[in-house]
Amino acid sequence: MQISDIKTQLEELRQAATEAIAIAESLDKLEDLRISYLGKKGQVSKILGAMGKLSPEERPKVGAIANEVKQAIQTNLEEQRSSLQAAEIAAQLQAETLDVSMPGVKRSQGKIHPLNGLIDRALDIFVGLGYTISTGPEMESDYYNFEALNTPPDHPARDMQDTFYLPDGNLMRTHTSSVQIRYMEKNEPPIRVVAPGRVYRRDTVDATHAAVFHQLELLAVDEGLRFSDLKGTIKEFLRQMFGDLPIRFRASYFPFTEPSAEVDLQWNGKWLEVLGCGMVDPNVLQAVGYDPEKYTGFAAGFGVERFAMVLHQIDDIRRVYASDLRFLQQF
């Protein structure tokens, strides 16, 4: 093997590689060419395998030529790779081009129902005040709905909360106060709990009343709680809900609180009754095993629909249940 023969083979290989690389149509094909020419078992390596037959003086000369060939092939590979990658990107951009002058495709987004939105807003306020959210069954026993709340079977207050009675002796709860009883049975004071949910009463349906509606009630039990603590909690809640408006407390009656009060809010120049509240009756604390000589508590509750009607200026409570998109899409 003469040095001239090896030079000729290397030159022919460079020419063939240049032509093959120039017509490569994909990056995969280009990689195959790289391995074929420059790989460990590639054509350049095979030609250089004959260098062992050359004299020590000739080997450096052939090595220099081989390096030039390798560099030329590598340069061609990189240039073709860049060209192919640019072509791929151009084709992808062409395929993904958007005509911004075309009208957009709009998908209607769902919205939170005004009642759910108000419940979430109220719960955020009470959670910020340190309260825990608790829920319970809508079908209740007479004990949890009435008796444990200081309302025995012959109590006249039951007439104000007539409800739907079931054949098995259970009933549909008239308030979420039953959740408070269940919570107190499982937890020791101090407690701060707020109970939202659906309630049922045999009311005549009109613009301001419904047989099924939503309530949110709060309860706090601890040592040394006073009516002033209740007033401060109610004032802060109404301030965050309605703004800094005048409120007043009027004496009232509930069988499970003593003393009790109705809370009015001055809204658009008129006094509106917005919720009821009071100090937890000692009989209620005894029913769940709390010592009324040691603990005191306060409770309050309001109708979600009433708040929604005031805040959103809704003229008829039945609108929130009608599933009329013309009405619901306003919120």
Side-chain angles (χ1 to χ4, degrees), residues 34-136:
R34 185 192 67 80
I35 295 172
S36 174
Y37 288 111
L38 302 180
K40 291 183 178 180
K41 298 181 180 180
Q43 297 182 47
V44 174
S45 296
K46 290 180 180 179
I47 294 175
L48 294 180
M51 289 177 60
K53 300 178 181 180
L54 300 176
S55 64
E57 293 80 11
E58 294 177 323
R59 290 175 189 173
K61 298 178 182 180
V62 173
I65 298 173
N67 287 333
E68 291 179 2
V69 172
K70 286 183 179 180
Q71 185 61 42
I73 294 175
Q74 185 64 41
T75 300
N76 290 335
L77 287 169
E78 292 177 357
E79 290 177 352
Q80 185 67 2
R81 181 179 294 107
S82 298
S83 177
L84 291 174
Q85 288 175 340
E88 282 190 359
I89 294 174
Q92 185 177 4
L93 290 175
Q94 182 65 29
E96 297 178 355
T97 297
L98 297 177
D99 185 354
V100 296
S101 65
M102 294 180 64
V105 178
K106 179 181 179 182
R107 293 183 179 181
S108 59
Q109 300 293 318
K111 297 182 179 180
I112 297 178
H113 193 279
L115 296 183
N116 290 334
L118 196 144
I119 292 174
D120 291 342
R121 180 177 171 185
L123 291 178
D124 285 344
I125 295 173
F126 284 117
V127 169
L129 295 175
Y131 283 74
T132 298
I133 301 171
S134 182
T135 58

Side-chain angles (χ1 to χ4, degrees), residues 218 227 230-239 242 245-254 260-266 270-278 299-302 306-307:
L218 66 97
F227 198 88
L230 168 61
K231 291 181 67 176
T233 301
I234 297 300
K235 286 183 177 180
E236 178 60 19
F237 167 66
L238 293 179
R239 184 192 68 80
F242 293 95
L245 298 174
I247 65 172
R248 69 183 182 187
F249 289 77
R250 291 181 291 106
S252 186
Y253 170 77
F254 301 106
S260 304
E262 300 280 2
V263 182
D264 299 333
L265 176 76
Q266 195 172 62
K270 297 181 180 180
W271 287 103
L272 295 177
E273 179 184 315
V274 290
L275 57 82
C277 63
F302 65 88
R306 175 167 295 188
F307 272 43

Side-chain angles (χ1 to χ4, degrees), residues 93-255:
L93 290 175
Q94 182 65 29
E96 297 178 355
T97 297
L98 297 177
D99 185 354
V100 296
S101 65
M102 294 180 64
V105 178
K106 179 181 179 182
R107 293 183 179 181
S108 59
Q109 300 293 318
K111 297 182 179 180
I112 297 178
H113 193 279
L115 296 183
N116 290 334
L118 196 144
I119 292 174
D120 291 342
R121 180 177 171 185
L123 291 178
D124 285 344
I125 295 173
F126 284 117
V127 169
L129 295 175
Y131 283 74
T132 298
I133 301 171
S134 182
T135 58
E138 295 180 13
M139 183 182 72
E140 269 295 4
S141 66
D142 185 271
Y143 173 79
Y144 284 107
N145 196 78
F146 289 121
E147 292 186 36
L149 289 160
N150 200 36
T151 313
D154 58 349
H155 200 291
R158 289 201 179 204
D159 294 338
M160 297 184 295
Q161 296 192 23
D162 196 11
T163 185
F164 303 92
Y165 291 86
L166 305 176
D168 59 1
N170 289 323
L171 51 85
M172 304 307 293
R173 67 183 181 188
T174 61
H175 45 202
T176 57
S177 300
S178 56
V179 178
Q180 299 174 353
I181 297 297
R182 292 180 177 275
Y183 189 88
M184 286 190 288
E185 286 182 341
K186 298 178 181 179
N187 297 273
E188 291 295 323
I191 63 171
R192 303 284 191 278
V193 63
V194 58
R198 186 182 291 110
V199 298
Y200 305 80
R201 296 186 187 179
R202 195 182 64 84
D203 283 343
T204 301
V205 177
D206 57 26
T208 58
H209 296 85
V212 182
F213 57 99
H214 298 79
Q215 268 194 342
L216 192 148
E217 300 191 26
L218 66 97
L219 171 71
V221 179
D222 202 346
E223 296 184 43
L225 289 182
R226 298 174 298 179
F227 198 88
S228 59
D229 299 310
L230 168 61
K231 291 181 67 176
T233 301
I234 297 300
K235 286 183 177 180
E236 178 60 19
F237 167 66
L238 293 179
R239 184 192 68 80
Q240 293 192 42
M241 181 65 71
F242 293 95
D244 193 7
L245 298 174
I247 65 172
R248 69 183 182 187
F249 289 77
R250 291 181 291 106
S252 186
Y253 170 77
F254 301 106

